[in-house]
Amino acid sequence: MTSRPALNRTLLALAGLVLLGGGLLVLFAGLDLYRRHDLIPPAGWPLITPDDVLLGSADRARWSGQGWWWWPAVIAALALAALLALWWLLAQLSRRCPGSLPVGGTPPQEGVELRDRALSDAIATQAGALPGVEHAAVRITGRPAHPRTHVRFTLTPEGAPGATLGALCEGPLSTARRSTGLSDMPTEVRLQVARHKPHRVE
């Protein structure tokens, strides 16, 4: 399953490629680079010379004659695109990092805070030392009062997922809850197994 950061990067890369392609198309036509460098664009290629327009008078008349539904359809498509962009932006803002977390104790330590990066590094260090774990990466998101922990494990070929999850809950995550004074810290764990190295038979 694709992680959210990877999906975000993919969407941003696709949007960037579309904008880059459109910008290069306009730039080549505006500077008349096809004629200057004797380039032959494909048949039907838009915007070849500086005088070309993306939607000519004939095209506008043809589409306008499609009936009453044409402009409502265009407006609905643009509104849907705007709503999707707004939803994506709000989704990014809602998953912000907490920045700092309160330090727990009895009584709670007022005015003392723990950076989320320091806590995630501490959890990753302890989790990486668990038996059967080759590598561990930890990221903390959410609000300071309700943080969420995301753990990504790479297990050795001999590692046992069940035992590793149990050791994670009883060890690093339990220590993190005591440190922050939080009774509950939702955690998402992703496991993958390192590939076996090929064995050479003599």
Side-chain angles (χ1 to χ4, degrees):
M1 185 175 181
T2 306
S3 63
R4 288 182 177 179
L7 179 61
N8 289 339
R9 295 188 189 101
T10 302
L11 293 176
L12 288 175
L14 291 176
L17 289 175
V18 170
L19 293 175
L20 178 63
L24 289 177
L25 190 67
V26 174
L27 180 65
F28 269 60
L31 298 179
D32 202 12
L33 296 180
Y34 296 106
R35 184 184 60 79
R36 291 182 180 181
H37 298 282
D38 296 327
L39 299 176
I40 301 177
W45 195 257
L47 300 179
I48 298 176
T49 66
D51 297 329
D52 288 344
V53 293
L54 189 60
L55 194 63
S57 300
D59 293 327
R60 291 196 302 270
R62 178 166 60 89
W63 288 114
S64 299
Q66 296 299 317
W68 64 269
W69 59 270
W70 169 244
W71 287 113
V74 171
I75 294 173
L78 293 176
L80 179 61
L83 288 176
L84 289 176
L86 181 61
W87 169 80
W88 180 80
L89 177 61
L90 293 178
Q92 307 314 304
L93 296 177
S94 65
R95 292 186 292 105
R96 62 185 183 275
C97 295
S100 59
L101 300 168
V103 176
T106 307
Q109 304 297 314
E110 295 183 0
V112 181
E113 295 181 335
L114 176 64
R115 298 295 298 176
D116 60 338
R117 178 59 64 87
L119 181 60
S120 61
D121 289 345
I123 296 175
T125 300
Q126 294 181 20
L130 295 176
V133 176
E134 182 176 288
H135 177 72
V138 179
R139 183 170 55 93
I140 297 177
T141 61
R143 294 174 295 174
H146 302 284
R148 295 185 62 87
T149 307
H150 305 266
V151 183
R152 184 182 295 273
F153 274 138
T154 300
L155 301 180
T156 62
E158 297 79 17
T164 302
L165 289 176
L168 174 68
C169 295
E170 297 174 2
L173 294 182
S174 178
T175 302
R177 285 194 297 269
R178 289 197 304 269
S179 300
T180 57
L182 296 172
S183 58
D184 183 32
M185 183 180 291
T187 302
E188 175 185 316
V189 180
R190 294 178 181 269
L191 298 173
Q192 63 183 17
V193 180
R195 295 182 178 179
H196 288 269
K197 294 183 178 179
H199 298 283
R200 188 173 180 179
V201 179
E202 299 292 342

